[in-house]
């Protein structure tokens, strides 16, 4: 159990970590990374550069270094701050507790000099870049199936992993400040990406089963807790706070009376099923599947 740190212990200065640019975004940001590194050095900010935090594997040196950091942390990365926070949580870093203040800075957001200044201000204690949890408004759970039973359903028909090693990293990141553990994403994804842990908490269990550039389940989540930090066409899905997650020009909700994000998600999922040589299940079946789950009495 965590206890308050006694006041007589010397306060440790926050560690500053600068994430390298995700390899597939190097063309866009590599020069800014160099400029920012130079600016931090010039202004006397001690920092450690680690490989792209989104691309780190659990046993990578950079991940081990992140886990070894004690005390407060300032992470400058190439994502929205909310996405950075939960990418770090996937590396088993405490991001929400009393033992650590985590500041997340979007390196794309400002000039290198402004970013260095913000970092200095946080180090001095005159600024903050903490991503606070939103106020929770938990909707009731919708299904009679237990999370474990849902996990077993979601693991059916696993295709071989396609992303690992062959293409840039692409997987969903969950904002656990917002997630209600409703399991809609696990019901929806037919690629076995989601599962549950021993405490029946929704987890991204097979991240490299996720289909490259598929953002479908992020539109299905009722509370917007699923992020794809590298998704370029929708800032909300990439981790910005708020915003609309459906994007199709023709508003299908007006025709079918259903939320457009859900229809778009079903179309995106069908596209990925076809690409994987599997049968599409279609938008209507998605809704029926969800209804059937709700009615099952197990
Ligand atoms: S993006 Fe697509 S493949 Fe990836 S977890 Fe979501 S529904 Fe599954
Ligand atoms: S991420 Fe969203 S859809 Fe998935 S369990 Fe959490 S709240 Fe439900």
């Amino acid at each position: 159990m965590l206890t308050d740190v006694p006041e007589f212990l010397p306060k440790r200065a926050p560690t500053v970590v600068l994430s390298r640019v995700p390899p597939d975004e190097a063309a866009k940001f590599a020069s800014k990374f160099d400029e920012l590194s130079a600016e931090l050095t010039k202004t006397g900010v001690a920092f450690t550069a680690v490989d792209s935090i989104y691309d780190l594997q659990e046993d990578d040196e950079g991940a081990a270094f992140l886990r070894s950091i004690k005390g407060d942390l300032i992470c400058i990365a190439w994502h929205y701050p909310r996405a950075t926070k939960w990418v770090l949580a996937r590396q088993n870093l405490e991001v929400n507790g009393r033992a650590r203040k985590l500041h997340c800075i979007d390196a794309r957001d400002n000039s290198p000099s402004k970013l260095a200044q913000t970092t200095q201000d946080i180090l001095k204690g005159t600024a903050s870049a903490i991503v606070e949890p939103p106020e929770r408004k938990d909707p009731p759970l919708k299904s009679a199936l237990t999370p474990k039973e849902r996990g077993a359903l979601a693991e059916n028909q696993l295709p071989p992993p396609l992303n690992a090693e062959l293409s840039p990293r692409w997987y969903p990141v969950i904002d656990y400040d917002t997630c209600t553990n409703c399991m809609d994403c696990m019901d929806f994804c037919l690629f076995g990406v989601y599962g549950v842990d021993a405490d029946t908490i929704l987890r991204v269990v097979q991240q490299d089963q996720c289909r490259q550039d598929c953002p479908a389940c992020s539109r299905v989540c009722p509370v917007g807790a699923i992020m794809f930090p590298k998704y370029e066409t929708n800032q909300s899905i990439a981790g910005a706070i708020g915003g609309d997650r459906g994007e199709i020009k023709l508003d299908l909700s007006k025709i079918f009376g259903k939320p457009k994000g859900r229809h778009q998600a079903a179309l995106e999922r069908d596209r990925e099923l076809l690409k994987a040589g599997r049968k599409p299940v279609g938008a209507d079946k998605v809704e029926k599947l969800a209804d059937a789950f709700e009615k099952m009495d197990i």
Side-chain angles (χ1 to χ4, degrees), residues 233 246-255 260 264 267:
T233 50
E247 287 155 21
I248 33 182
K249 302 270 181 300
L250 178 65
D251 188 350
L252 293 175
S253 63
K254 296 212 170 88
I255 300 168
K260 66 178 176 183
Q264 186 169 2
L267 293 172

Side-chain angles (χ1 to χ4, degrees), residues 170 172 188-191 193-194 209-211 214-218 228:
W170 182 264
F188 179 81
C189 177
L190 298 179
F191 292 93
V193 173
Y194 294 106
Q209 296 283 355
C210 184
R211 306 284 301 179
C214 174
C217 52
S218 65
F228 289 88

Side-chain angles (χ1 to χ4, degrees), residues 186-260:
M186 199 160 72
D187 291 343
F188 179 81
C189 177
L190 298 179
F191 292 93
V193 173
Y194 294 106
V196 288
D197 65 15
D199 296 320
T200 60
I201 303 295
L202 183 278
R203 298 288 177 208
V204 176
V205 290
Q206 303 198 83
Q207 62 187 25
D208 290 323
Q209 296 283 355
C210 184
R211 306 284 301 179
Q212 187 72 41
D213 298 330
C214 174
C217 52
S218 65
R219 305 186 203 277
V220 169
C221 174
V223 291
I226 301 174
M227 296 169 281
F228 289 88
K230 292 198 286 188
Y231 192 64
E232 287 187 349
T233 50
N234 184 303
Q235 296 184 342
S236 175
I237 289 174
I241 308 280
D244 184 353
R245 292 184 162 222
E247 287 155 21
I248 33 182
K249 302 270 181 300
L250 178 65
D251 188 350
L252 293 175
S253 63
K254 296 212 170 88
I255 300 168
F256 297 108
K258 301 259 174 73
K260 66 178 176 183

Side-chain angles (χ1 to χ4, degrees), residues 3-298:
T3 54
D4 285 322
V5 179
E7 280 183 9
F8 54 81
L9 286 180
K11 203 165 171 343
R12 191 191 293 262
T15 304
V16 182
V17 167
L18 172 61
S19 168
R20 294 189 192 282
V21 178
D24 49 320
E25 298 187 327
K28 261 194 292 177
F29 299 121
S31 60
K32 188 166 184 188
F33 174 88
D34 293 341
E35 289 164 30
L36 180 53
S37 302
E39 189 67 28
L40 289 169
T41 306
K42 192 174 96 187
T43 53
V45 174
F47 69 96
T48 304
V50 295
D51 286 344
S52 158
I53 54 166
Y54 185 71
D55 295 80
L56 285 176
Q57 303 282 354
E58 207 187 332
D59 51 359
D60 281 350
E61 212 176 285
F65 168 71
L66 285 168
R67 283 193 290 272
S68 74
I69 294 171
K70 304 267 186 285
D72 296 353
L73 173 61
I74 302 171
C75 183
I76 310 171
W78 307 86
H79 312 296
Y80 286 103
R82 178 187 176 213
T84 294
K85 172 180 177 177
W86 292 105
V87 166
L88 291 178
R90 274 191 68 74
Q91 297 296 346
N92 293 324
L93 256 83
E94 188 193 355
V95 296
N96 245 355
R98 286 184 297 163
R100 158 169 298 148
K101 286 194 177 68
L102 172 67
H103 300 266
C104 302
I105 299 176
D106 188 342
R108 305 164 304 176
D109 223 18
N110 268 307
S111 65
S113 60
K114 182 88 183 29
L115 292 163
Q117 183 62 55
T118 304
T119 309
Q120 281 180 319
D121 292 345
I122 296 170
L123 286 167
K124 280 188 278 176
T126 56
S128 168
I130 296 172
V131 181
E132 298 288 358
E135 210 177 300
R136 301 275 309 232
K137 294 182 209 107
D138 293 1
L141 293 185
K142 279 164 54 185
S143 173
L145 284 179
T146 67
K148 272 198 172 142
E149 289 159 343
R150 284 161 171 259
L153 283 170
E155 301 283 323
N156 283 339
Q157 294 185 290
L158 283 184
L162 291 179
N163 286 357
E165 294 176 19
L166 295 176
S167 44
R169 215 78 196 280
W170 182 264
Y171 58 87
V173 177
I174 307 298
D175 174 349
Y176 285 101
D177 284 336
T178 309
C179 172
T180 60
N181 218 34
C182 71
M183 308 292 164
D184 278 5
C185 52
M186 199 160 72
D187 291 343
F188 179 81
C189 177
L190 298 179
F191 292 93
V193 173
Y194 294 106
V196 288
D197 65 15
D199 296 320
T200 60
I201 303 295
L202 183 278
R203 298 288 177 208
V204 176
V205 290
Q206 303 198 83
Q207 62 187 25
D208 290 323
Q209 296 283 355
C210 184
R211 306 284 301 179
Q212 187 72 41
D213 298 330
C214 174
C217 52
S218 65
R219 305 186 203 277
V220 169
C221 174
V223 291
I226 301 174
M227 296 169 281
F228 289 88
K230 292 198 286 188
Y231 192 64
E232 287 187 349
T233 50
N234 184 303
Q235 296 184 342
S236 175
I237 289 174
I241 308 280
D244 184 353
R245 292 184 162 222
E247 287 155 21
I248 33 182
K249 302 270 181 300
L250 178 65
D251 188 350
L252 293 175
S253 63
K254 296 212 170 88
I255 300 168
F256 297 108
K258 301 259 174 73
K260 66 178 176 183
R262 182 143 194 125
H263 277 282
Q264 186 169 2
L267 293 172
E268 286 163 342
R269 183 178 61 177
D270 274 357
R271 178 192 65 197
E272 297 307 325
L273 286 166
L274 280 167
K275 280 197 319 206
R278 294 167 60 188
K279 269 177 76 174
V281 296
D284 286 337
K285 284 187 187 165
V286 175
E287 308 290 357
K288 282 181 195 154
L289 202 61
D291 290 347
F293 278 138
E294 279 171 29
K295 285 180 194 139
M296 283 175 92
D297 182 22
I298 296 180

